[in-house]
Amino acid sequence: MLTKEHCKTALQERLLALAGTSLDEASASDKYAALASLVRDYIGQRWVDTTRRYDDQRQKQVYYFSMEFLPGRLLDTNLSNLGIRDVWREALAELDIDYTELLSAEHDAGLGNGGLGRLAACFLDSLAALGLPGHGCGIRYTYGLFEQAIVDGVQVEKPDSWLKDLNIWEYRKTGKAVLVEFAPPLGIVKAVPYDIPVIGFDNRTVNTLRLWSAEVRDEFCVNYSSLGPEDYRKLLEYKNGVEAISQILYPDDRYEEGRQLRLVQEYFLVSAGLKSIIRHIKRKQGSDLRRLADQIAVHINDTHPALAIPELMRILMDEEGLGWDEAWDITIHTISYTNHTVLPEALEKWPVGQLQSLLPRIYEIIHEINERFCAELWQRYPGDWDRIAAMAVIADGFVKMAHLAVAGSYSVNGVAALHSDILKNDLLNLFYQHAPQKFNNKTNGITHRRWLLTANPGLAGLITGTIGPTWLHRPDHLTELLPFATSTTFQQKLAAVKQDRKEALAKFIFDRYHLALDTRSLFDIQVKRIHAYKRQLLNALRIMDLYRLLKDNPQLDILPRTFIFAGKAAPGYYLAKKVIQLIVTLAKQINSDTAIQDKLKVIFLENYNVSLAELIIPAADISEQISTAGKEASGTGNMKFMMNGAVTVGTLDGANVEIREAVGDENIVIFGLTAEEVAACYQTGRCNPLTVYNQNERIRHCVNQLIDGSLPVIGDEFKPLYDYLLHPGGAFLELQDFAAYLEAQERLDRLFRNDRARWQVATTNIAHSGRFSSDRTVTEYADAIWHIRPSESPASLI
Ligand code: 26W
């Protein structure tokens, strides 16, 4: 048993050993480093034991290959998962150390763009919590996603050098390096793994997130005697070329055609990952790989690691001496694939020439996969050239990565019911017709441990105090809160928790931006990547509408609202950056206008990341999930908000559909065109925004504000947004959904005027959020796709 006294002594000793400092002299980072390094001590044995258990029991293990992992800070989570968070908090308090401040000394690990990377991190947390043998495989980018600052209303990007101080959680495994081979001039590159422990909640499991770093290989030695200036230049060039591979995360969540370095990164990841897995399997279970598909599962997170398919073929044939048919049989029983987007501009395709010159053998294999696949199609659909051309892996001079991923895997899934239907009926319909048994749905989830237990300890405490702690292991037990939805006492306590979180956020905003918020106003929040289809612009337009109504009639009876935005735009995404500029401009105009009596405030918070999300989401009254129906594959922010008792206003898109199913129509505010209506709208060309603009004066007035000088900007800064909105068929139906959105906001206003009703809705949302825990999602993947089993019994059963 770890006692407070142990903690206090241990911390002081570790401070002396690590930083050579006493407690009084130590900085927050010193204290953070000392505590984190103690956590390393605690987990070492469990980590070794877990690995040994998996090996001894010859457990089937899953490897989750992803170009992105977005874990955020780890200290709080790790302490919590180890069950020593409370004792440490108390010990630190007795030493007069502020726990939250100490946690903030940790750099937020941002090796991902958004939803896809955060999902991967939630899955790792759930795998470990469920005692499942599953590990992450990714890239150790020296620079994570850029840090965003707003300067003169405009997004500016700064490098995120998260490794500049020591990263306590990683273990460099020099001895486990592998070589990855590219065509010259890059040639052979050394991949060095850095392992990060993934600690299970309240059990003995510690899994591994293995991140690969690119280095020049040892044999690449220098002939000192002939080191002329020219050699030196070449040497540097080569070294830089190699190290560039794991230098930077691509900051765009749309595909940019033909970025050579991105392709290099993708192959680097899959080749290093597969080589090390196969080496391990051979060491532990012998050199016969014919049963590989029973020993491991390899999951590819979107198409970014889809080169795992030809790479596994290459290893099995060229290095292990198997024939094509045998290798193919193993490959398509080992690899499974999740699609995360239907947006055409985000579907990867690589120019044939580029792949061929960088990875000649891999291209040869893809070519053969395509030949055989097309032959199979020809057998099945003789003469149907159009169909075969539409399904080919190589077509029009490109390798289509989604086609490769479907052809080379045994399972293809979408991330919400609606999204999976769109894959089956639309985007991948021909593949579905061809192999329907491959297709399935796995609705996304989020770890309730990070997004409720540690992000909102007040709410977690209230829940445990009300229904007991079993929800921690069994999030579906949150439904036991339902009888309390109408309890006045419970409602009051819930309101107090929300108020406390709103005040914490308001304090942060005041300290950082010197803007004072009315914490009794409704916190109406939209935080996520800035993207046209997510329609932050629709939200901005409605704020412009509301502001105008208030200007015309300052006595207008509305509930005061604080609109909070945060999110990064891809550096090259012009329109998204314009949207940020518009929001910041509105904030400037509205916040300084005394005529509206503080009824509205707008703020754009810089540098949205996991840690900021943990501060923002618990403080939300209203969660904005307003993408054009059919475009947001799932969304996961929507789940985090509901779990923290916010009311969703949203379209019938992604997982919103299932949230509505879970909570019932009266506990969510749904508006707008359905996915089918949206599709019909685009197809029939009935979606000309000009029609709406011409017919609806209120909307016209709003849109005109972008260009008529009402906004405090010089020149026609927002003309591009105006043009975008009115471009026939171009926009994401912002204007078509505008009236419905305004009406939905009125419904929300009515709901929030009724205190009893609104806390009932909040409670009902929390109660049904267990269905959206990633424990549920990961269990479904484990049972139906990966066929893996827990290696220890779940803690709740012990
Ligand atoms: C190649 C560039 C690139 C990079 C990332 C293209 C596309 C992506 C991702 C697929 C974008 C992404 O993060 N998709 C999001 O995945 C989440 C997890 O499944 C879903 O909840 C979101 O709806 C989806 O947009």
Side-chain angles (χ1 to χ4, degrees):
M1 249 315 255
L2 189 65
T3 65
K4 270 188 292 183
E5 294 315 313
H6 283 135
C7 293
K8 290 198 275 187
T9 328
L11 187 77
Q12 292 180 43
E13 284 173 4
R14 192 54 58 96
L15 267 173
L16 273 179
L18 268 187
T21 173
S22 69
L23 196 55
D24 331 323
E25 295 294 315
S27 66
S29 340
D30 292 338
K31 291 175 218 163
Y32 157 73
L35 177 48
S37 105
L38 285 165
V39 171
R40 275 174 68 119
D41 294 359
Y42 302 148
I43 56 178
Q45 193 58 49
R46 288 186 194 194
W47 201 1
V48 172
D49 291 347
T50 304
T51 311
R52 183 169 309 141
R53 194 168 63 235
Y54 292 161
D55 287 337
D56 290 352
Q57 298 177 1
R58 300 205 162 189
Q59 291 256 337
K60 184 174 183 189
Q61 307 191 41
V62 65
Y63 296 89
Y64 197 82
F65 277 46
S66 179
M67 288 286 280
E68 306 190 7
F69 285 92
L70 200 45
R73 292 181 178 137
L74 290 176
L75 180 55
D76 197 28
T77 299
N78 286 348
L79 289 170
S80 168
N81 285 351
L82 289 168
I84 54 174
R85 186 179 187 237
D86 290 340
V87 66
W88 266 105
R89 282 189 76 133
E90 287 163 24
L92 293 171
E94 285 181 16
L95 292 172
D96 237 356
I97 298 173
D98 184 70
Y99 183 66
T100 318
E101 190 190 323
L102 183 148
L103 295 183
S104 317
E106 177 169 3
H107 206 104
D108 189 299
L111 307 184
N113 272 286
L116 167 122
R118 181 55 232 176
L119 186 77
C122 282
F123 280 10
L124 292 186
D125 184 83
S126 285
L127 279 164
L130 295 164
L132 286 165
H135 314 282
C137 181
I139 294 180
R140 180 180 178 269
Y141 301 105
T142 310
Y143 296 94
L145 185 61
F146 65 86
E147 285 185 6
Q148 174 198 55
I150 304 295
V151 179
D152 298 328
V154 176
Q155 167 174 300
V156 176
E157 300 88 17
K158 297 184 294 188
D160 164 46
S161 46
W162 71 298
L163 291 173
K164 70 173 185 294
D165 306 319
L166 178 73
N167 176 10
I168 299 267
W169 303 119
E170 65 183 16
Y171 295 65
R172 180 182 160 97
K173 297 283 168 75
T174 320
K176 297 199 167 168
V178 298
L179 299 177
V180 175
E181 197 173 337
F182 297 92
L186 203 47
I188 298 175
V189 171
K190 186 164 76 160
V192 182
Y194 287 73
D195 286 355
I196 298 175
V198 183
I199 302 169
F201 175 73
D202 196 22
N203 62 18
R204 300 202 54 83
T205 298
V206 180
N207 290 332
T208 303
L209 166 57
R210 174 162 283 185
L211 300 179
W212 294 95
S213 180
E215 295 182 10
V216 286
R217 74 198 152 105
D218 311 334
E219 293 72 21
F220 187 82
C221 64
V222 187
N223 182 353
Y224 287 97
S225 55
S226 72
L227 200 60
E230 188 51 16
D231 299 305
Y232 186 65
R233 193 187 55 79
K234 275 198 195 139
L235 182 72
L236 262 186
E237 219 173 77
Y238 175 72
K239 187 168 182 295
N240 289 340
V242 168
E243 287 171 358
I245 297 174
S246 52
Q247 206 70 0
I248 157 159
L249 164 76
Y250 271 92
D252 206 320
D253 52 0
R254 303 162 303 162
Y255 168 66
E256 287 175 280
E257 192 177 300
R259 292 289 170 105
Q260 173 90 354
L261 181 57
R262 170 84 181 181
L263 184 59
V264 172
Q265 290 183 332
E266 293 185 356
Y267 183 67
F268 175 75
L269 165 70
V270 300
S271 181
L274 286 172
K275 280 185 171 172
S276 89
I277 292 165
I278 285 174
R279 184 175 61 191
H280 182 79
I281 290 281
K282 287 174 74 175
R283 261 188 211 153
K284 300 289 170 184
Q285 303 192 33
S287 56
D288 182 1
L289 291 178
R290 280 172 305 183
R291 288 177 26 83
L292 188 69
D294 301 324
Q295 297 166 310
I296 62 162
V298 170
H299 198 86
I300 58 175
N301 199 18
D302 213 276
T303 58
H304 320 151
L307 291 178
I309 294 161
E311 174 64 1
L312 184 54
M313 288 295 288
R314 190 194 64 76
I315 295 174
L316 293 174
M317 295 189 300
D318 300 1
E319 294 181 12
E320 303 297 331
L322 300 185
W324 180 280
D325 291 331
E326 238 173 350
W328 183 247
D329 189 59
I330 296 169
T331 301
I332 57 159
H333 287 99
T334 301
I335 291 177
S336 47
Y337 154 61
T338 299
N339 171 289
H340 293 267
T341 181
V342 297
L343 294 186
E345 70 266 29
L347 297 178
E348 287 187 294
K349 49 182 188 165
W350 292 103
V352 162
Q354 197 172 12
L355 240 165
Q356 203 168 16
S357 56
L358 183 72
L359 302 163
R361 178 63 180 143
I362 290 297
Y363 179 73
E364 221 168 64
I365 293 171
I366 296 174
H367 185 79
E368 184 66 22
I369 291 175
N370 184 47
E371 291 284 308
R372 289 172 184 244
F373 184 56
C374 290
E376 177 191 324
L377 294 175
W378 179 255
Q379 288 278 314
R380 175 93 182 266
Y381 316 102
D384 196 345
W385 285 111
D386 289 350
R387 177 187 296 257
I388 297 170
M391 293 176 76
V393 174
I394 304 174
D396 311 322
F398 287 95
V399 175
K400 300 186 166 175
M401 300 299 268
H403 296 193
L404 176 62
V406 180
S409 63
Y410 65 92
S411 169
V412 177
N413 74 281
V415 289
L418 173 68
H419 169 61
S420 296
D421 283 344
I422 292 174
L423 293 183
K424 288 198 286 191
N425 303 330
D426 190 1
L427 190 71
L428 299 176
N429 175 256
L430 295 178
F431 291 89
Y432 175 62
Q433 287 182 34
H434 184 64
Q437 74 288 352
K438 283 188 186 182
F439 285 76
N440 63 91
N441 174 59
K442 296 286 168 283
T443 298
N444 281 167
I446 55 165
T447 163
H448 58 290
R449 285 165 294 272
R450 177 173 293 259
W451 297 106
L452 177 49
L453 179 61
T454 57
N456 199 346
L459 180 55
L462 172 59
I463 294 170
T464 301
T466 310
I467 61 168
T470 64
W471 64 276
L472 290 166
H473 287 287
R474 294 286 309 273
D476 51 321
H477 288 189
L478 284 170
T479 49
E480 289 169 18
L481 282 173
L482 282 174
F484 297 90
T486 49
S487 143
T488 318
T489 331
F490 183 83
Q491 289 196 349
Q492 280 167 355
K493 289 182 184 166
L494 183 57
V497 168
K498 184 61 78 182
Q499 190 58 28
D500 173 69
R501 290 299 81 206
K502 287 169 77 172
E503 269 152 28
L505 178 58
K507 178 175 182 321
F508 170 83
I509 290 174
F510 186 79
D511 292 347
R512 176 84 181 69
Y513 298 99
H514 310 293
L515 176 71
L517 299 181
D518 169 10
T519 57
R520 295 278 155 193
S521 67
L522 295 182
F523 280 20
D524 180 332
I525 304 188
Q526 187 172 21
V527 288
K528 47 180 84 249
R529 283 299 286 253
I530 314 290
H531 239 293
Y533 82 85
K534 295 178 188 279
R535 300 200 295 192
Q536 282 92 352
L537 186 52
L538 175 60
N539 193 348
L541 285 173
R542 130 340 253 251
I543 296 172
M544 288 160 69
D545 176 75
L546 193 54
Y547 177 58
R548 190 181 66 82
L549 290 180
L550 268 176
K551 287 296 274 183
D552 291 350
N553 174 14
Q555 304 313 320
L556 189 73
D557 180 27
I558 61 151
L559 290 181
R561 286 209 202 193
T562 299
F563 300 101
I564 298 170
F565 290 87
K568 293 174 183 174
Y573 194 168
Y574 178 75
L575 268 171
K577 289 183 141 180
K578 277 285 161 199
V579 170
I580 294 179
Q581 197 187 353
L582 174 64
I583 294 166
V584 175
T585 304
L586 288 173
K588 191 167 130 194
Q589 179 178 43
I590 293 174
N591 297 347
S592 61
D593 188 340
T594 48
I596 57 165
Q597 302 168 350
D598 285 340
K599 282 184 181 162
L600 299 186
K601 287 275 184 290
V602 182
I603 181 147
F604 187 95
L605 300 177
E606 293 159 300
N607 203 35
Y608 185 57
N609 60 13
V610 174
S611 310
L612 191 56
E614 287 166 3
L615 181 66
I616 295 175
I617 292 170
D621 293 306
I622 297 170
S623 156
E624 299 278 346
Q625 308 300 337
I626 60 175
S627 50
T628 314
K631 305 295 178 197
E632 187 71 273
S634 158
T636 43
N638 46 3
M639 302 167 184
K640 295 164 196 164
F641 279 100
M642 88 177 285
M643 194 173 268
N644 282 278
V647 182
T648 306
V649 53
T651 46
L652 282 177
D653 199 14
N656 296 353
V657 175
E658 287 153 85
I659 293 180
R660 178 175 77 154
E661 235 167 66
V663 299
D665 234 344
E666 60 291 359
N667 293 300
I668 187 167
V669 177
I670 294 291
F671 74 95
L673 298 173
T674 63
E676 268 180 22
E677 288 165 346
V678 167
C681 205
Y682 282 126
Q683 268 159 21
T684 58
R686 273 194 291 110
C687 62
N688 192 343
L690 268 174
T691 320
V692 186
Y693 176 86
N694 289 326
Q695 280 167 4
N696 186 323
E697 202 212 323
R698 191 165 165 192
I699 294 178
R700 190 162 62 243
H701 205 112
C702 251
V703 176
N704 285 348
Q705 284 183 49
L706 292 169
I707 50 159
D708 67 7
S710 355
L711 293 166
V713 281
I714 312 156
D716 38 8
E717 283 289 351
F718 299 124
K719 178 78 167 34
L721 291 177
Y722 174 89
D723 291 341
Y724 158 80
L725 283 170
L726 296 181
H727 180 70
F732 280 97
L733 308 188
E734 287 86 349
L735 301 193
Q736 281 82 351
D737 269 344
F738 194 56
Y741 186 46
L742 294 181
E743 184 275 325
Q745 293 298 338
E746 278 167 29
R747 268 187 276 159
L748 270 177
D749 194 276
R750 281 199 296 280
L751 171 66
F752 278 89
R753 280 171 198 271
N754 180 344
D755 244 6
R756 290 197 58 84
R758 75 96 8 137
W759 293 115
Q760 185 178 345
V761 171
T763 312
T764 310
N765 271 271
I766 300 167
H768 288 294
S769 67
R771 169 164 163 187
F772 300 101
S773 164
S774 44
D775 287 9
R776 189 265 311 146
T777 314
V778 162
T779 303
E780 290 176 6
Y781 276 91
D783 292 346
I785 301 182
W786 302 328
H787 306 295
I788 53 166
R789 279 197 301 276
S791 84
E792 58 171 326
S793 39
S796 56
L797 301 177
I798 292 168

